[in-house]
Amino acid sequence: MNPAGKTMEICFWGTRGSYPVPGRSTLVYGGNTACHSVRIGDKSIIFDAGTGIINLGTALVREKKPVNAMLIISHTHFDHISGLLYFKPCFVKSTQLHIYGPTEVVGDISKVIHNLSKPQSHPIEFDQMGMHFSCNSLTGGDLFSWSASAKAPKKVSASRAGKKDAIMISAMYNRRHPVHGVMNYRVDYMGKSFVYASDIEGDPLQGDSDLARFAAGADVLAHDAQYTEADYAAGRQGWGHSTPAMAVKTAKMAGVKRLALIHFEPSYDDKKLRQMERETKKLFPSSFFAVEGKSIRL
Ligand SMILES: [Zn+2]
Ligand SMILES: [Zn+2]
């Protein structure tokens, strides 16, 4: 297949923040926690492993093709890792899972991952599940290249950015989340781009200028939008999450084409989110609230 013909498919698997909320009141936007994916050809880049990753795993296994995925973790708050033990491709021998986690935020990601599956927590440890996997640390400013012929992504310097048709993945450390901050990520491929910026608190007046530079010109910016203006003002400052208006400020500054709002407050039902979405579209017409299981093709 000619790589130039490959599309970038972005899918939202877990749009909820904090904890899962299955049930009738969350059927539209979804109740699973943080997980989103970018698919390019036979490669997947997965952002976070909240409970949304469970449905992604089921979809991948159903395809009956070897899974080759880079799983990049923004931070290890429980809503971003709690689905990993139930990711079905972990139990398939042909799976290659390259896990990356930010040093600034979690220290050694390998320790966090291995602790998750210790016998006190789970009957089978990751090492015994059958897949091939590796745990790798990354840091703010890192750049990775994943070419069509390469089995795994490779860290590169900005001046040697790799082949023209390679998938490029970059990381930006963001302090705007308690306690140790969070990593934001950007994927570029053949002129298409996606930015993942969850669990950040923009400045109510100015947005986030560092993130705006990082996300400049992106096709899609997925940005935290946990609270309404009223709830934010009623004591949620400093909790590390944004309102849709903060996300819009940054999206406008960055000149992104589309803004996907994610990481919804678990107590908000579909009706409330629909209302918030309507209000947000008035500020930024090409914005939308991400819906669990829906995808966009670029
Ligand atoms: Zn979160
Ligand atoms: Zn968090």
Side-chain angles (χ1 to χ4, degrees), residues 97-116:
L97 189 64
H98 320 285
I99 305 174
Y100 284 80
T103 311
E104 292 92 329
V105 190
V106 298
D108 183 358
I109 186 70
S110 176
K111 265 192 198 155
V112 183
I113 295 295
H114 283 96
N115 279 342
L116 261 185

Side-chain angles (χ1 to χ4, degrees), residues 49-245:
T51 60
I53 202 172
I54 301 168
N55 286 338
L56 166 60
T58 305
L60 287 171
V61 166
R62 218 174 263 154
E63 288 180 19
K64 294 189 166 54
K65 289 180 194 155
V67 171
N68 191 1
M70 179 186 196
L71 167 60
I72 33 183
I73 305 288
S74 65
H75 64 314
T76 51
H77 285 168
F78 213 53
D79 53 328
H80 296 255
I81 54 168
S82 55
L84 186 55
L85 288 165
Y86 317 104
F87 184 53
K88 283 199 183 107
C90 292
F91 298 91
V92 179
K93 272 190 186 149
S94 59
T95 296
Q96 303 271 347
L97 189 64
H98 320 285
I99 305 174
Y100 284 80
T103 311
E104 292 92 329
V105 190
V106 298
D108 183 358
I109 186 70
S110 176
K111 265 192 198 155
V112 183
I113 295 295
H114 283 96
N115 279 342
L116 261 185
S117 68
K118 283 226 165 124
Q120 299 91 323
S121 313
H122 198 254
I124 308 165
E125 297 198 45
F126 282 117
D127 295 323
Q128 298 155 357
M129 287 183 184
M131 64 168 168
H132 294 272
F133 79 107
S134 63
C135 292
N136 312 273
S137 289
L138 56 71
T139 185
D142 276 359
L143 180 67
F144 296 86
S145 164
W146 200 358
S147 64
S149 58
K151 281 211 170 91
K154 204 171 83 184
K155 192 173 157 183
V156 292
S157 64
S159 56
R160 299 187 63 200
K163 291 181 186 161
K164 232 178 159 187
D165 62 349
I167 305 166
M168 303 304 298
I169 303 113
S170 46
M172 187 198 91
Y173 178 55
N174 197 326
R175 290 180 187 280
R176 296 165 180 268
H177 195 62
V179 175
H180 300 297
V182 68
M183 200 64 81
N184 300 153
Y185 297 106
R186 175 173 178 138
V187 178
D188 285 275
Y189 172 70
M190 305 287 283
K192 299 158 189 175
S193 47
F194 171 72
V195 175
Y196 177 60
S198 193
D199 294 65
I200 50 164
E201 183 171 350
D203 182 287
L205 298 173
Q206 281 145 17
D208 182 337
S209 54
D210 291 334
L211 175 59
R213 264 192 297 279
F214 184 67
D219 289 296
V220 179
L221 164 65
H223 194 294
D224 189 298
Q226 182 136 346
Y227 300 126
T228 60
E229 293 295 318
D231 283 348
Y232 182 77
R236 262 77 165 187
Q237 297 98 326
W239 288 24
H241 297 289
S242 294
T243 64

